[in-house]
Amino acid sequence: MTTVRDQLDTCQFLLNRARLAEDDNAIRRLSERRDMLVKQLASISAHLRVV
């Protein structure tokens, strides 16, 4: 099982490759995925601070 952080790292790697390839569709999809993962990670971090 991969962690949210692992997924974020992989997504960022793929996003960088998409930017190099100038693949607008992949950039859009990966940017949306990255934003969702960042929000998820922030939510988990906030929850852990409360607990």
Side-chain angles (χ1 to χ4, degrees), residues 2-26:
T2 60
T3 66
V4 175
R5 181 64 203 192
D6 291 339
Q7 292 177 48
L8 182 58
D9 290 343
T10 300
C11 184
Q12 187 62 51
F13 172 78
L14 294 172
L15 180 56
N16 289 339
R17 290 190 56 135
R19 286 181 176 146
L20 288 172
E22 298 180 2
D23 184 341
D24 293 336
N25 188 42

